[in-house]
């Protein structure tokens, strides 16, 4: 630890990786400087329409995180900024940040959009991949954070020609500032996380794809924008040349990937699955659509991806195993593709109305320059160099990396790495935890006990957003007639800084005790106004926000009278509701400052060590008699690392750590309690112990499937990959011909999933055998080779070294025959459509990876398993390490099969997620939680069954069995309240009385509608 | 240097009787919603009831895009290399539509209508700015979005209309980035190119520019009402077709032709036309006119890649056809066209230059 360490972290890049790392850092008690070169947060994910394999709306799951970042007082946002210099050393870096002029004052801009509307300039819009236009004064996209406009100096008429300045004249907020200059800001931090991501491959650099030559050949990211409702065609799937609906689309895979000629030999990992996603979503838009996907290997090895692929086939997506050549039909701008028919080997010519190039990932020029400048080493493909066992560390001390900057990967891997990197960055400076964190101070709260409601209502014009449709003065007049309303005011922008001051004054002057703002969405604006009234001494829950923009002026744009009527009703409902609001307060719960890790494999040990490194004590529970887990069977990695050496070292560290209590031969008997306060009963060979922990980490791993297929167990010359590896390590292999069969026990009826790691295992062992004896003959019988990411290099190497790959079809698997003294394998090679007979003296089965038997544990933890028996995380995209139940985390192969590298990254991430809780001064519970009236409760347990977060617990009390809400686990969703047959559960701020009062307000209208 | 605004434009162009009546100033006016400018009696002006500058935002856009203001000329000239007498081009040929419906109504070969129909049919544009006759050989510009509407625009009417102003009404298409085609005289096309140079709406939305040949244009009141109706006692309702081929030809509904020497009409020509040096529409993607082509055909000049692609796609799709002659004859026809339009082009070029010199001398 550096003596003068600084309790702050610099995060460069604000894609999903940078966002996750920032949020994890502040929650651990560190200040964050988040630097983004673009004007808004979000990175690549902000441009995606949906995410696979759940087809969640990308923006809908990302935007709340962006808003969270913007709201956090301990994250300093530097958007439209670039890091220009880093000096100092790990623990204490001095960073120079170039803040580019936006020419619009961020403090004053209220994002009304007037400037953009009046700006005469229309240039291609980057966000929509140039498929639409934007003005020179613009906001990058509607949900942008920060929600402020900027002026693009390249295209602004004033900057380039000295004329115009229209924006300045029409900006009511007086936010335009042409005098702004670029400036350099110095930031002092203890550690650095680089999360610059990757860009999509520029398809125009490869002539054969004809991108840029024909309008109807587009990239997958362009198609993503076309699919999006916020995209250039409002979500109508049309092709660029003539904006007509295409009825036949071809996706072409591996554009810029797996191409050694351009030094892009790596696989971009995500393209197969995103292409399937795009095809499925496009087909949802247009059921008539015919979708085709030309591929080399389908690589759907992530969680749920293989099932997604199979469902796509069932859905009618056609898969063509061929490369294609492309040409345009000038008569209709269709694209003629020539591909090979795998069944006949003949060339087929087919016409498509649109072709989508599934472009891969590459590090951007600017990232490469930046890393070079900062003295950080790159790998052969210019991705940030990392080591297998140190996946999050760069070559420079104190600088960590996450996401696609260190190689292609999907969102959940990026998120896990981001959490892990946040832990590493924190670990370095953990003595400075809470050093730089500021907490807001407020005046004491006014006591409103016994007072009649005195309500102030502020109605927003939102520039012209509301005011041009809704008759605001009319709403104002109407509001004055409502009961308990003491004061009504109209504002041009209720959210502007000066209005906040005004609201505070009005509260004091009129002795208001409740406030309603009629403006936009609570999602973005409620915390602002709650903060304002809190500063004026009012409890923040004596507030209601009436959304008269989204719900009135926007959706009823063409019927202003109805919009006005609706606005009145919404305001009335809010007034009636708020008059029944009571002050609510958060509760605070103390935390047990130790963690408990279940499973002593590489993931469990790594997680335990990360906790220990930050001075938290840990129980490491292992049911077996020694530490090490699955890695004990691994002797080398495909990259050439030595896992045994690493493992030995790791076990040593665990054993030597004063903070870690390792319990071997130990089973968990019972788990109770909740986040911050778990109680765990363990059984160590008959000796029972009661342990306490603030957070739990599940790392129970998995194992190799023991096959029943292919005569396994009936012949000693038939081995699994692990068994082979063991024999190789003992120098026991003397063989001339080896056959390996892939997908044994995977991707079939029993186990529909792909086990992700077996292709690499097979290639690893094949290369090892070739290294020992270059003359050995090896056949690998496969369905798709799934050496994703940088592993593709080894696939190429294996082919180069003469390993023979034979592709077979699932419907027609190889046959193993035991002949006298000889094994025979028959396989239908679909490339040449012939049955080949092989006589190996060793048959190796690449068997499935299966999870540990987790049922009992999952029930004790009250967390779910997926259909394959792996643990099911809270959200497959953005919460890969969490469970829906707070305080319990997940890592390693218990979640999904994965190589060591990914297990380590996840373990580090899971540890970070746990430290957020262990390091909290106290756990603050939300004020808006469910409460139970014990006079009414009959202890039926309906609430306990239905709550996804396990907040209600029926417990024995003096007055019988009653439901008790664990406030720290409650998310305030109200599900329990709705399901309670006794109406004993009440949702604070959404009480039945309040809701009924709201309904009464419009009941006459409802009766009218019903009539 | 301060920003030059409408006040300057009014002084330098409108009051100097140089206004092209294209309407570009109104199309780009940033205070459009606030009704700063209007066109009254074919003169762009501040809206009367506020005849001061209070509605004008003084942005200077109108000044910069005006066809008579040459600030941006070097920029667009660098792109189009408008060398006299007929500008830069890729191909000069004669062609006609294959659509009998258009043939029947067309001025010459029906190429302009045919191109627009093709663009609309293929959904390559959302609308096209054309000139729709209203009554008595008067007409007004309109954004048409269907072939039915388009077919009303066939034929030529010799009086200036503010076509560029209509371009400003692109919002009626209810599309954030509409794709438009524009048909206009050289002076009008030039303003569209200026807007494009500045990446400015509405010009930036114009994907296809079809330029008409133009020797000069007339003031409707003076030509149709004054000369034809009042002086020559021609019932305007009885006119079938107007055409300029060396002289002004009026064809009546009974097919009787009246020929009027152009010299006789020179006083009725708009003043700004005397300063124009562009006969064949240098800045268009495709220029089309009647001069030089065999009867029933139009002269077509392809100037840009965009123009090229449309022409050849249409030819391939058999929407238009070139003069059906053996290659040797086609060559001859093209040579003839070249010499005819070059001669007229040179005349107009010299005339414009001379006038400009005069005005420069007089200050």
């Amino acid at each position: 630890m550096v003596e003068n360490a600084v309790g702050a972290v610099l995060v460069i890049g604000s894609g999903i990786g940078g966002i996750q790392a920032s949020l994890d850092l502040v929650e651990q008690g560190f200040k964050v400087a988040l630097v983004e070169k673009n004007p808004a947060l979000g990175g690549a994910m902000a441009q995606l329409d949906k995410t696979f394999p759940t087809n969640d709306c990308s923006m809908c799951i990302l935007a709340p995180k962006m808003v969270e970042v913007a709201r956090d007082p301990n994250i300093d946002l530097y958007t439209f900024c670039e890091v220009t210099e880093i000096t100092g050393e790990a623990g204490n870096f001095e960073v120079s940040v170039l803040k580019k002029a936006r020419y619009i004052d961020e403090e004053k801009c209220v994002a009304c959009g007037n400037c953009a509307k009046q700006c005469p300039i229309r240039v291609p819009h980057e966000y929509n991949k140039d498929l639409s236009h934007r003005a020179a004064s613009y906001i990058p996209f509607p949900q942008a954070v920060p929600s402020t406009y900027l002026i693009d100096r390249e295209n602004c008429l004033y900057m380039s020609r000295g004329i115009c300045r229209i924006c300045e004249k029409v900006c009511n907020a007086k936010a335009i500032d042409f005098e702004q200059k670029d400036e350099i800001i110095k930031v002092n931090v203890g550690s650095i996380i680089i999360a610059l991501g990757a860009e999509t491959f520029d398809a125009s650099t490869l002539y054969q794809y004809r991108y840029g030559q024909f309008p109807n050949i587009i990239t997958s990211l362009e198609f993503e924008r076309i699919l999006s409702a916020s995209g250039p065609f409002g979500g109508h799937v049309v092709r660029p040349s003539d904006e007509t609906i295409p009825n036949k689309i071809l996706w072409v895979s591996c554009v810029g990937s797996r191409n050694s000629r351009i030094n892009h030999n790596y696989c971009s990992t995500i393209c197969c699955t995103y292409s399937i996603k795009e095809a499925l979503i496009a087909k949802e838009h247009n059921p008539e659509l015919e979708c085709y996907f030309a591929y080399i290997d389908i690589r759907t090895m992530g969680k749920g991806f293989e099932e997604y692929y199979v469902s796509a086939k069932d859905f009618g997506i056609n898969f063509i195993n061929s490369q294609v050549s492309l040409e345009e039909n000038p008569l209709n701008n269709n694209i003629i593709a020539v591909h090979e028919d795998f069944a006949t080997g003949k060339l087929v010519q087919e016409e498509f109305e649109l072709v989508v190039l599934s472009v891969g990932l590459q590090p951007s020029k600017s990232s490469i320059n930046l890393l070079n400048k900062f003295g950080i080493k790159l790998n052969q493909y210019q991705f940030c160099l990392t080591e297998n066992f140190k996946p999050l560390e760069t070559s420079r001390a104190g600088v960590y990396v996450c996401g696609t900057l260190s190689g292609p990967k999907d969102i959940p891997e990026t998120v896990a790495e981001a959490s892990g990197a946040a832990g590493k960055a924190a670990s370095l400076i953990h003595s400075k935890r809470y050093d730089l964190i500021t907490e807001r101070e407020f005046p004491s709260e006014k006591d409103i006990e016994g007072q009649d409601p005195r309500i102030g209502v502020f109605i927003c014009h939102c520039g012209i957003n509301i005011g041009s449709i809704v008759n605001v003065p009319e709403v104002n007049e109407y509001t004055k007639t409502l009961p308990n309303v003491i004061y009504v005011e109209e504002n041009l922008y209720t959210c502007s800084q000066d209005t906040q001051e005004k609201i505070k004054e009005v509260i004091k002057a009129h002795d208001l005790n409740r406030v309603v703002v009629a403006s936009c969405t609570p999602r973005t604006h409620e915390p602002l106004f709650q903060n304002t009234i809190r500063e004026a001494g009012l409890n923040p829950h004596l507030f209601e926000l009436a959304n008269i923009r989204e719900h009135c002026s926007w959706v009823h744009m063409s019927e202003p009278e109805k919009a006005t009527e609706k606005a009145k009703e919404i305001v009335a409902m809010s007034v009636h509701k708020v008059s029944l609001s009571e002050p609510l307060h958060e509760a605070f719960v103390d935390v047990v400052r130790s963690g408990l890790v279940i499973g002593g494999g590489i993931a469990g040990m790594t997680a335990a060590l990360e906790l220990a490194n930050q001075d938290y004590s840990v129980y490491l529970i292992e049911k077996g008699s020694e530490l090490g887990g699955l890695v004990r069977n691994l002797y080398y990695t495909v990259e050439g690392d030595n896992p045994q050496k690493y493992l030995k070292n790791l076990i040593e560290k665990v054993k030597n750590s004063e903070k870690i209590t390792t319990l071997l031969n130990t089973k968990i008997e019972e788990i109770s309690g909740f986040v911050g306060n778990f109680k765990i009963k363990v059984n160590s060979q008959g000796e029972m112990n009661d342990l306490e922990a603030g957070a739990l980490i599940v790392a129970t791993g998995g194992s190799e499937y023991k096959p029943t297929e292919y005569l396994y167990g009936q012949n000693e010359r038939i081995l699994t990959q692990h068994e082979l590896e063991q024999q190789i390590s003992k120098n026991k292999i003397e063989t001339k011909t080896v056959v390996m069969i892939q997908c044994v026990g995977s991707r079939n009826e029993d186990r529909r999933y792909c086990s992700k790691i077996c292709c690499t295992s097979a290639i690893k062992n094949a290369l090892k055998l070739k290294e020992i004896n270059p003359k050995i003959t090896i056949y690998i019988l496969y369905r798709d080779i799934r050496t994703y990411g940088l592993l593709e290099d080894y696939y190429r190497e294996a082919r180069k070294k003469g390993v023979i790959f034979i592709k077979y079809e699932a419907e027609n698997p190889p046959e193993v025959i035991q002949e006298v003294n000889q094994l025979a394998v028959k396989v239908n090679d679909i490339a040449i459509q012939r049955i080949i007979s092989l006589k190996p003296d060793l048959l190796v089965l690449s068997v499935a990876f299966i999870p540990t038997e987790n049922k009992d544990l999952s029930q004790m933890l009250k967390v779910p398993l997926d259909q394959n028996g792996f643990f099911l995380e809270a959200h497959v995209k953005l919460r890969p390490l969490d469970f829906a139940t707070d305080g319990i985390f997940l890592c390693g192969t218990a979640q999904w099969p994965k190589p060591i590298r990914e297990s380590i990254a996840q373990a580090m991430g899971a540890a970070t997620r746990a430290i957020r809780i262990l390091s909290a001064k106290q756990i603050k519970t939300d004020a808006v939680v469910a409460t139970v009236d014990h006079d009414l409760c009959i202890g039926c347990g309906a609430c306990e069954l239905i709550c996804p977060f396990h907040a209600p617990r029926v417990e024995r009390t003096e007055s019988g069995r009653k439901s008790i809400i664990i406030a720290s686990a409650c998310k305030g969703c109200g599900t329990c309240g709705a399901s309670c047959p006794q109406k004993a559960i009440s949702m604070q701020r959404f009480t039945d009385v309040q809701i009924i009062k709201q309904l009464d307000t419009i009941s006459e209208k409802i009766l009218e509608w019903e009539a | 240097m301060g920003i030059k605004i409408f006040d300057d434009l009014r002084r330098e162009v409108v009051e100097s009787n140089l206004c092209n009546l294209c309407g570009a100033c109104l199309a780009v006016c940033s205070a459009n919603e606030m009704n700063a400018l209007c066109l009254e009696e074919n003169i762009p002006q501040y809206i009367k009831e506020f005849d001061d500058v209070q509605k004008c935002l003084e942005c200077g856009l109108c000044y910069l895009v005006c066809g008579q203001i040459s600030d941006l000329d070097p920029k667009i000239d660098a792109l189009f290399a408008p060398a006299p007498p007929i500008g830069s081009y890729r191909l000069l040929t004669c062609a006609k539509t294959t659509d009998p419906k258009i043939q029947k109504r067309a001025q010459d070969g029906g190429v302009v209508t045919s191109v627009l129909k093709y663009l609309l049919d293929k959904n390559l544009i959302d609308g096209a700015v054309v000139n729709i006759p209203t009554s008595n050989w008067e007409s007004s510009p309109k954004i048409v979005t269907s072939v039915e509407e388009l077919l009303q625009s066939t034929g030529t009417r010799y009086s200036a209309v503010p076509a560029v102003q209509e371009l400003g009404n692109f919002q009626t298409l209810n599309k954030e980035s509409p794709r438009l085609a524009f048909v206009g005289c050289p002076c009008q096309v030039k303003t569209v190119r200026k807007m494009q140079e500045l990446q400015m709406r509405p010009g930036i939305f114009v994907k296809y520019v079809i330029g008409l040949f133009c020797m000069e244009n007339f003031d409707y009141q003076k030509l149709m009402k004054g000369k034809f109706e009042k002086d020559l006692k021609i019932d305007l309702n009885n006119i079938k077709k107007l055409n300029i081929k060396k002289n002004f030809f009026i064809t009546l509904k009974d097919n009787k032709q009246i020929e009027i020497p152009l010299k006789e009409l020179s006083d009725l020509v708009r003043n700004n036309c005397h300063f124009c040096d562009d006969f064949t529409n240098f800045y268009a993607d495709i220029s089309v006119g009647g001069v030089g082509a065999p009867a029933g055909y139009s002269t077509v000049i392809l100037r840009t890649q965009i123009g090229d692609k449309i022409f050849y796609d249409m030819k391939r799709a058999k929407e238009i056809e070139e003069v059906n002659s053996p290659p040797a004859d086609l060559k001859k026809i093209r040579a003839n066209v070249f010499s005819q339009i070059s001669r007229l082009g040179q005349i107009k070029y010299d005339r414009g230059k001379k006038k400009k010199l005069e005005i420069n001398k007089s200050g």
Side-chain angles (χ1 to χ4, degrees), chain A residues 809-987:
Chain A
E809 282 171 315
E811 305 76 48
N812 209 351
E815 206 182 329
V816 177
I817 304 149
Q818 167 98 54
E819 293 174 355
V820 188
N821 290 330
Q822 177 75 57
L823 277 173
V825 179
K826 282 187 181 171
V827 59
N828 185 15
D829 182 339
I830 59 169
I832 53 173
Q833 294 289 329
R834 271 168 63 182
I835 293 183
I836 294 176
S837 207
L838 306 167
K839 308 262 177 193
D841 40 31
L842 189 65
L843 175 65
V844 186
L845 305 179
S846 297
V847 295
F849 187 94
I850 54 171
T852 308
E853 179 47 55
N854 288 320
K855 211 169 150 210
D856 289 349
L857 184 61
S858 82
Q859 279 172 357
M860 278 190 272
L861 289 164
K862 298 193 181 70
V863 297
L865 298 177
D866 68 18
Q867 59 198 18
N868 301 314
F870 293 98
F871 277 100
L872 181 60
E873 57 271 39
H875 189 275
V876 292
K877 241 16 187 190
L878 293 190
R879 293 182 68 192
L881 310 175
D882 301 5
F883 285 107
T885 309
D886 273 351
I888 311 177
F889 306 96
L890 173 64
C891 61
T893 48
Q895 183 254 352
W896 194 247
K898 56 178 69 70
I900 297 174
R901 179 193 166 88
E902 290 169 37
S903 277
I904 292 176
Q906 276 203 336
M908 290 171 168
T912 306
R913 300 295 291 163
I915 290 171
R916 284 160 49 247
I917 289 160
L918 302 184
S919 66
K921 288 176 180 161
Q922 278 185 312
I923 294 180
K924 189 163 81 173
T925 67
D926 209 330
V928 180
V929 291
T931 55
V932 187
D933 181 343
H934 278 183
D935 290 343
L936 292 173
C937 176
I938 53 167
C940 69
C943 48
E944 193 175 5
L945 277 176
I946 205 159
C947 174
F949 312 107
H950 304 289
R953 311 268 163 100
V954 176
E955 284 174 20
R956 203 170 294 285
T957 69
E958 283 169 10
S959 48
R961 283 167 59 79
K962 299 287 176 193
S963 169
I964 290 167
I965 306 285
I966 311 295
S968 52
C970 178
K971 304 279 181 206
C973 67
T975 313
C976 57
S979 67
C980 178
Q982 283 298 98
K983 298 258 166 267
I985 299 184
S986 187
M987 265 311 303

Side-chain angles (χ1 to χ4, degrees), chain A residues 6 20 50 75 108 110 641 786 850 903 926 1006:
Chain A
V6 181
Q20 184 63 44
K50 301 277 165 67
I75 299 177
K108 290 184 184 160
V110 291
D641 306 297
R786 295 182 168 176
I850 54 171
S903 277
D926 209 330
I1006 293 174

